[in-house]
Amino acid sequence: MDFEELLKLLKEELLNVLGESFSEYKEESKEDIEAFLEASKVKLERWTKLLVSKDLTVKDYEWLLKSQKDILVLKALYKAGASKRRLGHLKNKIIKTIVDTVVKVVL
């Protein structure tokens, strides 16, 4: 498993998710997604390796990712006036997208 390739794929998938909900802010949100992935990179790599080796279940992996929600700051969308509720739903969708993409690629 090439983790750098997986990160690139995750970035693409997450930008698609943002494009579905906030197409007018996709470019501005790109920096937020990149910052989240960079801040989570070490943990994501460790957790993904544990998932591949079956030392983590998919449910455990998802739970660990949810622990990273606080560092997922969507500044561009917040500045644009998106409600906290809508941003919360988007964060959940982002976490689900990461889990689904990783499971599809590595398992």
Side-chain angles (χ1 to χ4, degrees):
M1 171 190 71
D2 182 352
F3 189 72
E4 291 300 321
E5 286 298 316
L6 179 60
L7 275 180
K8 286 179 189 176
L9 179 61
L10 286 173
K11 182 178 163 186
E12 289 172 19
E13 293 294 325
L14 295 178
L15 289 175
N16 287 337
V17 166
L18 285 172
E20 292 169 6
S21 302
F22 296 94
S23 58
E24 65 275 18
Y25 299 105
K26 187 175 178 181
E27 198 55 43
E28 294 91 335
S29 300
K30 184 177 179 180
E31 292 176 22
D32 295 336
I33 292 298
E34 288 171 349
F36 171 70
L37 289 175
E38 187 59 38
S40 302
K41 184 177 180 177
V42 171
K43 290 179 182 179
L44 279 173
E45 185 170 15
R46 183 172 4 135
W47 297 338
T48 302
K49 285 178 181 179
L50 289 170
L51 181 66
V52 169
S53 67
K54 302 206 185 307
D55 290 323
L56 275 182
T57 65
V58 173
K59 194 171 194 157
D60 293 336
Y61 187 80
E62 184 172 6
W63 183 85
L64 288 167
L65 279 171
K66 286 180 181 178
S67 74
Q68 297 292 98
K69 262 173 56 171
D70 288 342
I71 66 169
L72 177 54
V73 180
L74 301 169
K75 294 176 197 169
L77 299 178
Y78 185 75
K79 285 180 185 175
S83 70
K84 287 184 181 184
R85 183 172 176 230
R86 191 165 181 205
L87 289 175
H89 287 301
L90 182 58
K91 285 181 178 186
N92 289 334
K93 193 171 183 180
I94 287 170
I95 298 296
K96 180 159 178 31
T97 300
I98 292 172
V99 171
D100 292 348
T101 302
V102 168
V103 166
K104 181 174 62 175
V105 171
V106 302
L107 294 184

